[in-house]
Amino acid sequence: MNNTSPLADNSSTATETSMPTPAFSPLYQQIKGLILQNLQSGEWKPGESIPSEMELAARYRVSQGTVRKAIDELASDNLLVRRQGKGTFVATHAEHHVQYRFLKLVPDRGDLDTEGPAQREIVDCKRLRATADIARALALRTGDTVLQVRRVLSFAGTPTILEDLWLPAAPFKGLTAERLADYHGPMYALFETEFGVRMVRADEKIRAVLPDATQSELLKVTPGTPLLSVERVAFTYNDTPMELRRGFYRTESHHYHNALS
């Protein structure tokens, strides 16, 4: 005679089905993670080509289709660049289309190409102790040493963008106002080539503000002129924060543009 209670069976089944199950990660996502590890370790540097899909498939013992899907996602994330007939390369901030990835202020007339590069003035570059809010943004401890850079970007002689940025001191040892002024490419390209820090993504907060006295003076606007305030935290690989940037934008002849997809 079977003394097992159907109710007991149902209770057991319910308990088992309520247990959490391990999260499933598709194979191509696992390969994407392995490629990211290689990028983070510096095995393939910005601007360099990575191995072919066939070579990567052999390395990771998966199909070429799996590797291709992983590379497609990394290309969509602007970490890799496919070049027809040449292969796949590590994206670099020195490339034209990547230079403008984080610059969202565009002229009302024409575009960034017709407007030309901004004239840059480095106002200050100094070492200081991180305040609580800066330390929190950069995953540091309050009082840790950071670099603060202040610069003004002008277009056609008009000061348009005032930026304050804070960087953890250790990865940017040797960065000075003179070094920034002497470098004529994008700042993120300098970070990449000179310090081995590649910004791969950023979070931004936007609000309208009125300038304080110093901001009014540097941007040559009256205290009642509304500015667009953009606060950005930029991350390198593995979601490590590497820059806090606060920008103040004049918008009489420019606007913030973001293409959503």
Side-chain angles (χ1 to χ4, degrees):
M1 180 179 177
N2 188 351
N3 293 324
T4 304
S5 166
L7 183 59
D9 283 345
N10 290 342
S11 175
S12 174
T13 303
T15 301
E16 291 175 3
T17 56
S18 66
M19 293 289 289
T21 57
F24 173 75
S25 176
L27 185 56
Y28 80 90
Q29 288 282 3
Q30 298 175 44
I31 301 305
K32 177 183 176 182
L34 292 173
I35 296 174
L36 272 172
Q37 289 178 20
N38 297 131
L39 292 170
Q40 185 176 1
S41 69
E43 179 177 349
W44 311 312
K45 294 184 168 43
E48 293 182 352
S49 63
I50 69 170
S52 69
E53 291 177 1
M54 183 179 295
E55 292 171 313
L56 290 175
R59 174 191 288 203
Y60 300 128
R61 299 182 180 180
V62 296
S63 69
Q64 282 184 245
T66 298
V67 170
R68 185 175 303 116
K69 193 165 184 180
I71 290 176
D72 284 344
E73 283 214 351
L74 290 166
S76 296
D77 293 339
N78 296 296
L79 299 181
L80 297 177
V81 178
R82 291 188 182 275
R83 293 179 184 157
Q84 189 67 34
K86 295 183 179 180
T88 302
F89 295 76
V90 182
T92 168
H93 284 284
E95 293 178 8
H96 184 270
H97 78 283
V98 179
Q99 288 178 16
Y100 296 140
R101 181 180 169 203
F102 294 121
L103 179 58
K104 301 297 185 180
L105 196 72
V106 298
D108 292 338
R109 296 183 179 181
D111 55 30
L112 290 167
D113 291 324
T114 59
E115 183 174 58
Q119 300 86 52
R120 293 171 292 183
E121 176 192 359
I122 304 299
V123 178
D124 202 1
C125 179
K126 59 187 177 184
R127 296 166 67 90
L128 45 78
R129 299 294 179 182
T131 59
D133 60 328
I134 292 169
R136 185 166 49 252
L138 294 176
L140 301 173
R141 292 173 299 182
T142 300
D144 281 353
T145 305
V146 294
L147 284 171
Q148 181 184 8
V149 178
R150 171 170 283 182
R151 69 173 184 168
V152 175
L153 305 182
S154 299
F155 296 95
T158 301
T160 306
I161 303 174
L162 168 63
E163 290 184 323
D164 286 308
L165 54 129
W166 293 266
L167 308 164
F172 296 95
K173 185 178 181 180
L175 182 64
T176 63
E178 292 75 21
R179 199 165 181 182
L180 286 165
D182 290 341
Y183 189 83
H184 299 294
M187 187 177 285
Y188 283 169
L190 171 67
F191 294 168
E192 180 181 280
T193 57
E194 300 291 327
F195 299 96
V197 176
R198 180 160 194 277
M199 305 302 185
V200 299
R201 74 173 189 86
D203 290 336
E204 288 189 338
K205 298 177 183 177
I206 302 175
R207 57 171 56 93
V209 299
L210 293 176
D212 62 23
T214 300
Q215 294 160 358
S216 297
E217 181 181 354
L218 290 171
L219 287 174
K220 294 181 169 51
V221 296
T222 64
T225 303
L227 300 177
L228 187 66
S229 167
V230 180
E231 180 173 299
R232 173 195 304 166
V233 178
F235 301 81
T236 187
Y237 297 113
N238 206 29
D239 274 348
T240 302
M242 277 291 178
E243 178 201 57
L244 170 63
R245 183 179 301 215
R246 290 172 180 158
F248 300 91
Y249 298 171
R250 291 177 58 171
T251 57
E252 301 99 315
S253 60
H254 290 72
H255 63 274
Y256 187 94
H257 175 80
N258 193 18
L260 303 177
S261 60

